[in-house]
Amino acid sequence: MIALLGRPNSGKSSLYNALTGGSARVGNFPGVTVDILQGSVAIPGAGGGVATLADLPGLYSIHAVIDPATDEGIARGFLDRAEAGEQPLIVAQVIDATQLALGLRLTREILARGSSLLVIVTQSDVLEREGRTLDVQRLQAAIGAPVVLVSVRVGDARGVVMEAVRGLLAKPLAKPVSDWEPAALARSVLSDAPQVSPEATRRRTFTTRADAVLLHSIFGPFLFLALMALVFAAVFLIADPVTAFFDSSVGRLRGLFTRVLGAGLLTSFLTDGVIAGAGTVLAFVPQIAILSVAMEVLDASGYLARGAFLLDRVLRLLGLSGRSFLPLLMGHACAIPAIASTRIIRDPRERLTTILVVPLMTCSARLPTYALILTTFFAGRGAWFKAAVFVGLYFTGILSGLVASLVLRRTATKGRSLPLLLEMPSYRMPEWKMVARKGWQSASRFVRDVGRMIIVVAGVLWVLLKVPAPAALQTAPESAPPIEHSIAAAIGHRLEPVTRPLGFDWRIDVGLIGSFGAREVMVGTMGVIFGIEDAGDDVSPLSQKIREAKRPDGTPAYSMRTALALLAFFVFACQCMSTVAAIRKETKSWRWPIFVLVYTYGVAYVVAFLIFQLGGLAGLS
Amino acid sequence: MKVTFMRPATPETELLSAPPGQAVRIVRIAQDDEHTAWLRAVGMHEDAEVTVLRRAPFGGPIHLRSSDGGEFAIHRDLARCIRVTTLEPRASAEGAPDPARSGRVA
């Protein structure tokens, strides 16, 4: 077994990909609760065999472990268990050549443990371009362990590393030495090339010069916010045409099925249930792929750490830190990749808090419902008014998330945080292969994990809406339209007493049952209830029907108060089973997803109740 | 060539109060063992040299370069617990002709 170990940002993942050719699966290691990638690598030479390569989480130090649940703790626990195991273990430490002294600190700790160590110094090409050379022989002699210098971009990194592994297996370490001073050793083995070109000098100072602008105390925060706004705009601008294309393809597919199979219950199940559900899934894929690509570019380039630096103070007021910013921003498109992206937050309590408040951010799945409500109840108001309400809804989401994190950090996720110690890595050009792979991985993971959920929800909802309820549960008169005889209507009617104080009747309740699985089905469900085909394409006929809807006593079913209460409900409630599943996956427990459901639905109910009741007292219609 | 010249008997201050561009030597770290170990792991320990590069806006963290050449941001509370003496002052952190980050001129 070869354990790949290194500081965060040391180029470990790139090397892992170079060694395994990108084939990675999440290893099933006992006692390890986070994903550790593992792959197989062939050891060259006769009888070399195959070794397992495990990519451990990045760590700064083996000694300085505060919490076993942090990356450090996990990597150290893994090493402890692997060394106690029967398989021979080689610790392959990855060091960024331009951060040699820092890497050597960890080397010294590994040697002091007595591990069988191979040091892999990466970024040889960057070192060369900066006009420096590394004396590998001298470094090897000083630490008493083999050292190789490679780059994943040029040359045969895999061949060099595996040859060194073979050598180490054939001839174990003679005398590891750990009583040297990292900074002094780094100075003695690194030297300038005989001629340092102006280009090399320029490269060396690039990060310093870039930081002078990007971390400027006035322009820095503005540039950061502008860049984030750009990323966000790109998500919608690029994703929208792709989503529209998927939409029309799905529409054509539904038409095709109807033509081939003829109208009927099975066709309806396939087209209105399964294919419509699949279409909903596809609509979110472009956004998610673009977001994860943007995030990988920001992270790999070194800029993400700068953003965290700039925003740390503001977020710290709320019990979070700079690292929480990106997940919270991503939550405005979709909570699922946002929750996965909280892995960049090193502090476990802060990460948990961020996971718990991300569902409050205004994800794009809420927008169709917001649009429907605005069109229906604020039709007489101008575009500016509607825009202001939209912006207000976004800010309500952000504000509620911040208040929630403030409260959580004093209650459910109370406790000491890790001290802020944020590495500011040198700026690097991201590796486009890694970036593309990240985009592909997150898109396919979304389709696999979330897609299944949405299709199941769409299927179940179809059954609830189309299948008549047993006679015992029927409440509607026989002459009523078929939808009123459905199972969903029966459930909706039984929920009415609970939701009446919020102004919701059975029809909204049915919509809410559907949105419990995925909020994007709300508009479609309301369309089915009011007998409008394809309500998603044009909401005005549906708006009309909703405005005209009557209670059994003939009074209007919905008012402005209902609209505001429903908006509030959608702002707060975590109506998304996929988010719940994502939280379950990231926290490895049912406790937190259930907590999120209870607290968001609780808040949604209370706020909607207050708005409806106080609105009534204030004389709102 | 190392561009640090010790000034004899400079008074001890908090790292927090060192101005941007200032090179300092760490004298003492008044923190528990865990935090001290963390700092040590990034090259910040007694007798190590550190340069303050800048402070984040609105009283945010402090951006430093450790003697190992790595750059870090640390929270102000942590910087308050680190006692230092000043070394040769530098012109300015922002845009100064500093040796690059990996950039100690060996």
Side-chain angles (χ1 to χ4, degrees), chain B residues 3 6 8-9 18 21 23-24 31 34 60 62 68 74 77 84 92-93 96 98 106:
Chain B
V3 281
M6 185 85 177
V24 296
Q31 265 291 343
E34 286 169 353
I62 294 176
D68 287 352
I74 66 168
D77 290 345
V84 298
S92 151
D98 252 338

Side-chain angles (χ1 to χ4, degrees), chain A residues 179-195:
Chain A
D179 60 346
W180 35 266
E181 177 53 38
L185 178 58
R187 268 198 299 276
S188 72
V189 295
L190 273 177
S191 53
D192 279 336
Q195 281 236 300

Side-chain angles (χ1 to χ4, degrees), chain A residues 85-166:
Chain A
E86 291 183 356
Q87 272 189 32
L89 173 77
I90 289 181
V91 178
Q93 190 205 347
V94 183
I95 300 182
D96 179 338
T98 63
Q99 299 270 301
L100 189 63
L102 283 170
L104 287 174
R105 280 187 188 275
L106 185 57
T107 310
R108 197 169 56 171
E109 291 185 3
I110 299 168
L111 286 173
R113 279 172 73 94
S115 307
S116 183
L117 174 70
L118 165 66
V119 174
I120 306 169
V121 182
T122 59
Q123 313 276 12
S124 65
D125 52 335
V126 177
L127 198 69
E128 197 178 317
R129 281 203 299 272
E130 287 187 357
R132 279 186 248 269
T133 54
L134 173 68
D135 188 340
V136 173
Q137 295 303 326
R138 193 163 168 188
L139 181 57
Q140 223 164 228
I143 66 175
V147 177
V148 291
L149 176 63
V150 297
S151 161
V152 293
R153 285 174 290 267
V154 289
D156 177 21
R158 181 184 179 156
V160 173
V161 170
M162 293 320 295
E163 190 56 38
V165 167
R166 192 183 65 83

Side-chain angles (χ1 to χ4, degrees), chain A residues 546-567:
Chain A
I546 292 176
R547 269 197 300 271
E548 289 165 0
K550 297 278 189 289
R551 292 208 189 92
D553 63 5
T555 55
Y558 313 115
S559 64
M560 183 74 85
R561 284 197 289 155
T562 324
L564 292 175
L566 189 57
L567 282 178

